[in-house]
Amino acid sequence: MSDLVTGDAVVLGLRPARLPSRALAILLDLAVYVTAYGLVGVGLTFATASLDSAAQAAIAVASFLLLLVGIPIAVETLSHGRSLGKLACGLRVVRDDGGPIRFRHALVRGALGVVELLLTFGTVAAIASLVSARGRRLGDVFAGTLVVRERVPGARVMPVPPPPPWLAGRFTQLDLSAVPDGLWLAIRQYLTRMNQLDPQVGAAMAARLADDLVARTGAPPPAGVPAAAYLMAVVHERQSRDAARAFHAAAATAASPVPPVAPGFGPVPAAGPAPAPAPAPYAAPAPVAPTAPVEAPRAGGFAPPA
């Protein structure tokens, strides 16, 4: 693994490609480019038969630079470091900080690749890759790049063995909030590999892990319970709690549907009895003199004060 540090101070664990995989990728790329160069060269030979020798030499040099230098640079730039050979071998060219390469990185690698790969038949590149700790050739050193492996085989996750049936449900009241994640990881690794250890070594490790777990939980195990069985039961209890918590969260999310919203309007209220209208405030009528004529009120936008 190569600890590459990004600009945000994040450590990336990448696997640098070694000489065999890089050599196979380069051979595949060269086979494609040399085949294309040969076909184009034959066509140019017939097309420039009527020209003089100087023009033919200029066209040959231009085709060499275009097909064996320019095309690889363009392919690595557009594919962000994945040529045909690297794609077949599961490799990619990245920067020293793990980011994708750009045109200047591909240009430096391609220019030095003419000397390392074509003129010296790969001898310089092979020696530089063997000497480098991360398998880099001179083009990678000057360009600030690294060839890494993209297809890394995933690790097989072994399940934790179940506890004995007579221990099921014995630790439902145990407080597991003070147990750190590092201790859980150590217990899980021990339980998944306990059958591969020496019996004495495995028993000592189980006792030490059980003591650490008892110190974190504050509750000693029942008398006569083996340390490995105690660890299995406690891990099973934690997994049961995590599964129940996740199930309840999913059930609560599914039980609270979002009310439908009509287009252009607010959310449709849930069905139910309509609330009773609030009674209007009572306003006492103003006394009117019997001799004065009563004029009908005019329609307006203000209501008289109560």
Side-chain angles (χ1 to χ4, degrees):
M1 301 293 290
S2 177
D3 295 336
L4 300 181
V5 182
T6 64
D8 298 330
V10 178
V11 180
L12 301 178
L14 301 177
R15 292 193 177 185
R18 296 304 177 183
L19 181 59
S21 58
R22 295 195 60 177
L24 180 58
I26 291 174
L27 288 177
L28 293 176
D29 289 335
L30 287 179
V32 174
Y33 297 142
V34 170
T35 302
Y37 175 72
L39 295 177
V40 172
V42 171
L44 290 177
T45 301
F46 289 103
T48 60
S50 59
L51 300 179
D52 55 357
S53 59
Q56 292 179 356
I59 294 176
V61 172
S63 62
F64 173 83
L65 294 177
L66 176 63
L67 294 176
L68 297 183
V69 181
I71 297 299
I73 293 175
V75 169
E76 283 196 353
T77 302
L78 297 178
S79 63
H80 298 290
R82 297 185 69 186
S83 61
L84 183 61
K86 293 181 177 61
L87 181 63
C89 297
L91 308 180
R92 180 189 287 272
V93 183
V94 297
R95 301 197 306 261
D96 281 340
D97 58 354
I101 64 172
R102 298 181 180 179
F103 173 73
R104 59 185 180 88
H105 304 96
L107 179 61
V108 175
R109 295 185 77 253
L112 291 178
V114 175
V115 179
E116 290 185 275
L117 303 174
L118 299 179
L119 299 183
T120 61
F121 300 99
T123 304
V124 176
I127 295 175
S129 181
L130 290 174
V131 172
S132 175
R134 295 189 291 180
R136 301 200 301 175
R137 62 180 178 90
L138 295 181
D140 295 319
V141 175
F142 286 98
T145 58
L146 176 68
V147 181
V148 297
R149 296 174 55 187
E150 281 192 322
R151 292 197 294 264
V152 179
R156 183 182 178 184
V157 179
M158 300 296 295
V160 177
W166 51 274
L167 275 181
R170 294 283 298 272
F171 302 99
T172 54
Q173 305 298 327
L174 197 62
D175 184 14
L176 304 177
S177 59
V179 181
D181 293 337
L183 183 56
W184 286 122
L185 180 60
I187 295 174
R188 180 181 178 85
Q189 290 179 348
Y190 164 74
L191 293 178
T192 54
R193 302 175 182 176
M194 57 184 297
N195 295 328
Q196 304 173 4
L197 301 176
D198 182 77
Q200 296 181 357
V201 176
M205 291 182 62
R208 181 173 54 83
L209 291 174
D211 292 340
D212 294 342
L213 189 59
V214 169
R216 297 288 183 175
T217 58
V225 176
Y230 170 69
L231 295 176
M232 294 178 191
V234 175
V235 171
H236 183 266
E237 176 63 27
R238 183 183 185 241
Q239 292 177 347
S240 301
R241 293 183 186 181
D242 293 341
R245 190 181 303 110
F247 176 76
H248 288 318
T253 304
S256 57
V258 180
V261 179
F265 300 92
V268 178
Y282 175 77
V288 181
T291 58
V294 178
E295 183 179 1
R298 299 179 180 180
F302 300 91

